[in-house]
Amino acid sequence: MSERPPRDGVDGFIADLADFNIAAFIDGPVVRYSVTPIDGSMSGSAVETAVGIVELAPWPAAPPHWIHLPAHFTFAHTNTQPQGSLLGWLCHSRNITSWTPSAHPGRQWLAHVRTVLGQITGTAA
């Protein structure tokens, strides 16, 4: 993908993921989509994840901070908070240290999420 004019907010985020054949949809206060990590315990399996709509307001100038995942996934180290609107989900705190909105933000976001998903150690019973 070459550089292109940024698409803003929730619609821009959904369009940026679609550029990489990731179907995203609005579900109440979040945008849900599935990503397949390339390493870790979930390698090769689609993992459903979400991002809060409120966090997408500055997209693509700034990335979201929280990655929303079903609560049964376990990590060796993570900072969580409950995800109030999706029963059985948790928000995981993750910063992106290097964000360049002039590059394709969808590619950057998917790489970030795949990295986090690669840190999943298993699933809770």
Side-chain angles (χ1 to χ4, degrees), residues 81-119:
Q81 73 177 20
Q83 204 307 329
S85 63
L86 297 175
L87 187 61
W89 285 58
L90 288 174
C91 298
H92 295 266
S93 174
R94 294 295 191 276
N95 287 324
I96 297 178
T97 57
S98 168
W99 184 255
T100 310
S102 62
H104 197 301
R107 176 183 297 141
Q108 291 181 90
W109 179 252
L110 291 171
H112 173 65
V113 171
R114 283 189 175 104
T115 298
V116 171
L117 297 180
Q119 298 169 0

Side-chain angles (χ1 to χ4, degrees), residues 16-120:
D16 287 340
L17 295 187
D19 286 348
F20 298 95
N21 298 317
I22 302 293
F25 62 95
I26 296 172
D27 183 12
V30 300
V31 173
R32 290 170 69 159
Y33 57 96
S34 292
V35 176
T36 302
I38 57 174
D39 58 4
S41 68
M42 299 303 297
S43 175
S45 299
V47 176
E48 190 172 15
T49 184
V51 170
I53 286 176
V54 170
E55 285 199 87
L56 292 172
W59 183 267
H65 175 77
W66 295 96
I67 297 174
H68 305 220
L69 295 167
H72 66 270
F73 290 119
T74 58
F75 291 84
H77 304 285
T78 191
N79 180 30
T80 63
Q81 73 177 20
Q83 204 307 329
S85 63
L86 297 175
L87 187 61
W89 285 58
L90 288 174
C91 298
H92 295 266
S93 174
R94 294 295 191 276
N95 287 324
I96 297 178
T97 57
S98 168
W99 184 255
T100 310
S102 62
H104 197 301
R107 176 183 297 141
Q108 291 181 90
W109 179 252
L110 291 171
H112 173 65
V113 171
R114 283 189 175 104
T115 298
V116 171
L117 297 180
Q119 298 169 0
I120 293 172

Side-chain angles (χ1 to χ4, degrees), residues 2-22:
S2 62
E3 288 189 30
R4 62 349 154 243
R7 297 175 280 199
D8 298 332
V10 172
D11 292 337
F13 179 80
I14 291 171
D16 287 340
L17 295 187
D19 286 348
F20 298 95
N21 298 317
I22 302 293

